Amino acid sequence: MVVLHVKSAVPASPSQDGDEETEFLYECAASAAVADVAAALAALAGLQAALLSLCRRIQARCAGAGAGAGATGELERALDEAEAYASKEQVQRNRFLSPRALREHIKNIEKKCATALHEPLEALPLQGSSSDNKHERKQIWWAGKELAMDQKLSDYIGVNDKTKIVVRLTQARDER
């Protein structure tokens, strides 16, 4: 299996300047279609960005709400675990992100947040603006080249399945 070290810039929150770069590892076959890999990477990057954004929003809300330490202890623990799971440090430890685990962290945080802040889940503005739309059309770059969606990964890196490459995931340009 080919290991892709994916670097992706996600828009920072309005209170921060510039974009925040996220990183994660992804494993696929060398014979995989670039379009399939791009779709999987876009989905994973979207989930990672959504989880990190959710953690930041809830931490800001908890700091502003001034909830008691006992009520937010489990929530803070869940936020810390989620941030650690989705952090760049997982790349240094050679750990891959799982879409299922990212979704479980999001659900767990939503449940703990509703409990700690004593509000119904529907009343909490936890979901940001449709993050799926901004991750739909992504493009993969490797070695300064834009990978064509109609090619296979092996057309660029060869057939060796024991390869590790660093790729950049960017927003696809509109074709005219």
Side-chain angles (χ1 to χ4, degrees), residues 97-134:
L97 289 187
S98 158
R100 183 183 59 74
L102 289 169
R103 283 189 208 98
E104 286 178 6
H105 277 293
I106 290 171
K107 287 179 185 177
N108 186 31
I109 289 171
E110 288 175 344
K111 288 178 186 175
K112 301 254 189 249
C113 187
T115 304
L117 298 177
H118 305 292
E119 296 181 41
L121 197 56
E122 296 78 26
L124 297 172
L126 299 180
Q127 297 301 325
S129 62
S130 180
S131 62
D132 295 336
N133 291 339
K134 63 184 172 189

Side-chain angles (χ1 to χ4, degrees), residues 42 132-139 149 170-175:
D132 295 336
N133 291 339
K134 63 184 172 189
H135 294 289
E136 275 181 5
R137 300 201 53 227
K138 291 291 189 174
Q139 183 61 52
M149 293 294 163
T170 62
Q171 190 71 28
R173 291 178 274 169
D174 291 332
E175 296 178 19

